Amino acid sequence: MSKNDMSKKALLSGDEALAFGAYEAGLKVACAYPGTPSTEILETLATFPELDVQWSVNEKVAYEVALGAAISGVRSLFACKHVGLNVALDPLMTSSYTGILAGFVVVVCDDPGMHSSQNEQDTRWVSIYAKLPMLEPASPREAKEYVKQAFEISEKFDTPVILRMTTRVAHTKEDVTLGDRVVPQQPPFERNIAKYVMVPGNAYGRHIFVEQRLNKLKALSEKTKMNKIEPGDKKIGFITSGVPYQYLKENYPDASYLKLGMTYPFCDDKIRAFARTVKKLYVIEELDPFLEGHVKSLGLKCHAKDPSFMIGELLPELMPAVVKGEVKQEKIVAKRKPRLCPECPHWASFATLRKLDLYVAG
């Protein structure tokens, strides 16, 4: 993209907006393995000739290449869908201990409703498991803003940062203001065996660092503007994040809100302070009771969706039933059979297996 195309507004999807934000933040290396709803991130980044953008043979390799770039001193990004992160989990867990040199952002796109996926796993749990910070934009505009903040957090706290999107945020379009690209000064590469080589003796010391880092990140979670209280009607207050925030605002525009953009580490003080200001507290989220469980662990009384709404994505028209605690009324909808993408190299393999009428395990 030419410089003349920047500094103006464009209608972008969440994936595209995130890519533009990363480009403006001085990204130099991006790696991924394709998988909807994350594919468009790398496709957009590939349009910038200044960047080294690579499809990898799988998510583990993509993660390791991007991490290597961050350790060498350039801002890098890894992107995948939720099931793809399973493949990359081995290097992700180790990278939590090693940290980085230049900013490293791990973008994961969950797929509530399984529009193109084999399960509905909730990546938010990975942030606790890996002891890594997680950001969750609720719109394309926030995706562009949050990825910039993710690079800053990554470098300030010596950590990979997980940025979680969902299908609706990734594919929704919004007018986004484009800006100039600013490349930070590249730090010199450090030969640091104690930091980057995770033999047991080194790993013990790095685990101490990780726990100390979590405390610092918790302090950030309490003060960041990504976690914001929106005062409104004191009769009802919502703690929420991601696209459910948009759906709730459509249905309950006058309510009070604690909108969480940094969902881990939890901002306990802010949660307690918000709870004290409302008569009836709700925790509304997609998929698992990630926030709900933590709010209840603080000793706060709150209302949440019926467990039947843990299946499938939340939609604007479902919000009144969710808030009332009703049981989800499942509707059987006929869906088209899944098809491989045009020009997919696996077409021939599947056609041959079908012709042979074989049972295949794997």
Side-chain angles (χ1 to χ4, degrees):
M1 173 167 287
S2 69
K3 291 184 178 180
N4 293 331
D5 292 326
M6 305 300 284
S7 300
K8 66 178 184 181
K9 284 192 175 182
L11 183 63
L12 301 177
S13 70
D15 280 349
E16 293 167 336
L18 186 146
F20 272 82
Y23 171 78
E24 293 172 14
L27 175 74
K28 287 195 174 180
V29 176
C31 303
Y33 182 82
T36 301
S38 69
T39 308
E40 292 87 345
I41 296 170
L42 215 69
E43 289 179 338
T44 303
L45 289 171
T47 64
F48 297 104
E50 306 97 316
L51 306 185
D52 182 351
V53 180
Q54 305 177 23
W55 289 121
S56 300
V57 294
N58 60 48
E59 291 88 353
K60 179 177 183 291
V61 173
Y63 192 98
E64 290 170 338
V65 173
L67 174 63
I71 291 174
S72 74
V74 298
R75 287 188 169 183
S76 65
L77 179 146
F78 162 78
C80 68
K81 65 186 297 176
H82 60 293
V83 290
L85 193 65
N86 299 338
V87 183
L89 204 57
D90 178 26
L92 180 144
M93 297 299 292
T94 302
S95 68
S96 177
Y97 276 42
T98 65
I100 45 81
L101 181 56
F104 180 41
V105 179
V106 179
V107 183
V108 185
C109 295
D110 284 5
D111 188 21
M114 294 177 285
H115 299 282
S116 60
S117 306
Q118 61 267 45
N119 68 24
E120 285 189 300
Q121 69 191 50
D122 192 327
T123 299
R124 293 178 298 173
W125 298 109
V126 175
S127 62
I128 296 178
Y129 185 36
K131 302 179 186 289
L132 292 175
M134 174 169 283
L135 310 185
E136 285 194 72
S139 67
R141 194 174 300 171
E142 285 191 350
K144 183 175 181 290
E145 173 191 339
Y146 282 15
V147 73
K148 291 183 177 183
Q149 295 191 51
F151 281 115
E152 297 291 337
I153 293 170
S154 176
E155 291 173 353
K156 182 176 181 179
F157 295 93
D158 188 11
T159 181
V161 175
I162 302 175
L163 194 152
R164 177 185 182 249
M165 306 257 277
T166 59
T167 300
R168 294 299 173 186
V169 177
H171 289 168
T172 296
K173 291 200 172 186
E174 183 180 19
D175 281 331
V176 175
T177 302
L178 306 181
D180 296 324
R181 173 171 167 82
V182 179
V183 181
Q185 184 176 355
Q186 183 173 332
F189 172 73
E190 300 176 354
R191 180 182 173 86
N192 191 336
I193 293 175
K195 183 178 191 295
Y196 295 117
V197 181
M198 287 302 97
V199 293
N202 294 343
Y204 188 92
R206 291 303 293 178
H207 189 189
I208 295 172
F209 166 81
V210 167
E211 298 301 334
Q212 294 171 340
R213 183 181 68 195
L214 265 181
N215 288 331
K216 295 175 182 177
L217 286 165
K218 186 182 184 307
L220 172 66
S221 182
E222 296 287 359
K223 67 182 182 181
T224 178
K225 293 181 180 179
M226 289 183 285
N227 293 337
K228 60 180 180 179
I229 293 176
E230 299 177 359
D233 188 345
K234 303 300 182 183
K235 294 178 181 178
I236 181 171
F238 293 105
I239 298 177
T240 188
S241 65
V243 77
Y245 165 77
Q246 308 286 9
Y247 299 161
L248 285 166
K249 291 288 283 187
E250 287 184 33
N251 285 275
Y252 304 94
D254 299 324
S256 296
Y257 287 87
L258 171 53
K259 178 186 176 297
L260 300 178
M262 184 176 185
T263 45
Y264 190 77
F266 301 108
C267 53
D268 295 348
D269 294 342
K270 190 169 286 188
I271 291 171
R272 290 190 182 99
F274 176 73
R276 288 195 294 267
T277 66
V278 297
K279 185 175 181 180
K280 202 168 187 179
L281 180 65
Y282 288 85
V283 179
I284 305 297
E285 57 193 319
E286 241 175 0
L287 298 180
D288 294 347
F290 178 81
L291 299 175
E292 174 193 346
H294 184 74
V295 170
K296 289 180 176 178
S297 76
L298 297 177
L300 299 173
K301 182 180 179 180
C302 66
H303 304 269
K305 65 180 186 288
D306 184 86
S308 58
F309 281 98
M310 289 173 57
I311 302 167
E313 65 178 331
L314 298 184
L315 297 170
E317 60 269 25
L318 296 177
M319 284 302 170
V322 170
V323 171
K324 292 176 183 177
E326 295 178 359
V327 177
K328 184 178 182 181
Q329 301 299 314
E330 291 286 358
K331 295 180 180 179
I332 306 300
V333 180
K335 295 185 177 181
R336 67 171 177 82
K337 293 182 179 179
R339 294 179 58 83
L340 296 173
C341 300
E343 301 181 11
C344 175
H346 299 297
W347 267 111
S349 302
F350 280 97
T352 302
L353 292 171
R354 183 175 182 179
K355 185 182 294 184
L356 295 173
D357 194 25
L358 296 176
Y359 288 95
V360 180

